[in-house]
Amino acid sequence: MTDEKVFIFTDGACSGNPGPGGWGAILRFRGREKELKGFAPDTTNNRMELTAVIEALSALKFPCSVVLQTDSRYVADGIEKGWAVSWRKNNWLKSDKKPALNADLWDKLLSLCEKHDVRFIWVKGHAGHEENERCDKLARSFL
C-alpha cells in the first residue's frame, strides 16, 4: 500500500426518493484529478451516495491510503461508527432486528475498505465546499 494519500470526494443525488438518481466523484492523486459519474433510473439518495463511494474506490488500481470526503452521514457514520461491520456480522440485521437497508452496497463497500485504508470525513453539503459542489453538479447532470 502506498504511503501517499488519494483524496476522494463523492456525492449522490435523487429526483424523488425513490426516483432517477445520479452520483459523482472526484479522485485526486499526485496533483492529478479524475471525475467519475453515473446514473440509475429508479433508486434512492442513499443508494446513490453509496454508489459514488463504491465506484470511486473501485477505480483505484492498487491498494491505497484514502481520505474520502462525503456529505452523507449515512455513509460516513455507517463506516466510521462501525454500523455496517455490525450489520454484516449479524447477517444484515440492525440492533433492532430489522433488516439493514442497502446490504448489497454495504457489502461491496466493506470489501473495498478491506482492500484500501480508507478514512471517511463528513462535510456539510451545499455549504460552499468546492469539491462537494462539483460532485453534486456531476450527480445532478443526469437529473
Side-chain angles (χ1 to χ4, degrees):
M1 189 166 313
T2 180
D3 288 335
E4 295 179 85
K5 298 243 185 285
V6 176
F7 294 89
I8 295 177
F9 309 89
T10 66
D11 198 16
C14 205
S15 181
N17 199 21
W23 59 268
I26 301 167
L27 289 79
R28 186 177 292 152
F29 182 65
R30 294 183 180 165
R32 296 177 64 195
E33 284 188 352
K34 180 175 187 171
E35 290 183 349
L36 304 172
K37 63 182 180 176
F39 171 78
D42 185 30
T43 190
T44 65
N45 188 66
N46 283 340
R47 287 189 72 79
M48 290 294 87
E49 295 283 3
L50 283 163
T51 299
V53 173
I54 290 165
E55 292 295 333
L57 291 173
S58 295
L60 301 176
K61 294 181 175 22
F62 51 86
C64 296
S65 179
V66 177
V67 176
L68 192 144
Q69 294 185 28
T70 176
D71 65 0
S72 171
R73 286 257 186 219
Y74 177 67
V75 173
D77 288 351
I79 296 295
E80 290 296 317
K81 293 185 176 183
W83 299 343
V85 169
S86 293
W87 298 334
R88 183 165 65 178
K89 280 183 190 172
N90 294 317
N91 201 27
W92 298 108
L93 293 176
K94 299 184 299 182
S95 59
D96 63 5
K97 303 301 179 205
K98 292 181 182 173
L101 298 177
N102 305 309
D104 59 329
L105 296 179
W106 282 114
D107 194 48
K108 287 180 186 177
L109 179 52
L110 287 172
S111 294
L112 288 163
C113 288
E114 290 165 357
K115 178 179 178 182
H116 304 288
D117 177 24
V118 186
R119 182 172 146 236
F120 285 76
I121 299 173
W122 177 80
V123 296
K124 185 174 172 79
H126 310 288
H129 184 283
E130 179 185 342
E131 291 87 356
N132 181 257
E133 298 293 339
R134 283 176 55 200
C135 289
D136 182 65
K137 191 173 183 176
L138 290 168
R140 293 187 179 281
S141 69
F142 293 103
L143 308 180

